[in-house]
Amino acid sequence: MKKLLCLLLLPLLFACSQGADDNMVLEAPAIHDHDRCHMCGMMIKKYPGPKGQVHLKGQLVTPKFCSTRDMFNFVLQSENKRQVTELFVHDMAKTDWADPQDSAFIDAKTAWYVYGSSKKAVMGPAVASFGTKEAALKFAEELGGIVLSYDQIDTKLLAGE
């Protein structure tokens, strides 16, 4: 009888554990001193400005980027878009531009961005990331640029068109 009961409960246990994984929220792993950018191969921590990370379906390795610009160039490629599960960027209102800290990573899809400011990052114009629209507006007021949501950033913008 115990064996029968165990067999009947087994599918329920499997179903419960499967749903828990689907709803699991990932966190941004630390960027280490020797981590290299997934796009350009540069040492990530060697340069100023906001960085990015992407979690991909079925992958154990997290691509990390020396700039949010490189992260967007990767994510906006059609073959990568479908694979992305989570994205993280630094909230530059909560960390230092010269040395962004891992504790300041936020969800890239809910972040606000300033493009075209006088503040430079690794490879040209920064795509500065912020946790609130107010912080992005303040940055843009001080250093120029336009404030954009995640969905407003596209390859044409990044290419300077």
Side-chain angles (χ1 to χ4, degrees), residues 32 39 53 75 85 120 123 157 159:
H32 302 289
M39 281 294 281
Q53 303 187 29
V75 169
T85 59
K120 298 298 178 207
M123 301 175 92
L157 175 80

Side-chain angles (χ1 to χ4, degrees), residues 125-139:
V127 183
S129 45
F130 297 90
T132 65
K133 188 174 185 177
E134 293 74 26
L137 288 167
K138 181 180 178 195
F139 182 88

Side-chain angles (χ1 to χ4, degrees), residues 11-24:
L12 289 174
L13 290 173
F14 179 72
C16 290
S17 67
Q18 198 173 31
D21 288 345
D22 293 342
N23 296 327
M24 189 173 76

Side-chain angles (χ1 to χ4, degrees), residues 80-147:
N80 297 331
K81 275 185 183 181
R82 296 182 300 275
Q83 302 304 316
V84 173
T85 59
E86 303 276 340
L87 299 102
F88 296 98
V89 293
H90 283 111
D91 181 348
M92 296 314 294
K94 296 188 176 183
T95 192
D96 182 49
W97 190 271
D99 185 26
Q101 298 300 303
D102 295 329
S103 60
F105 274 116
I106 58 173
D107 181 353
K109 290 186 178 182
T110 62
W112 289 88
Y113 299 89
V114 178
Y115 181 78
S117 76
S118 61
K119 198 83 161 169
K120 298 298 178 207
V122 179
M123 301 175 92
V127 183
S129 45
F130 297 90
T132 65
K133 188 174 185 177
E134 293 74 26
L137 288 167
K138 181 180 178 195
F139 182 88
E141 185 178 303
E142 293 173 10
L143 297 165
I146 56 171
V147 175

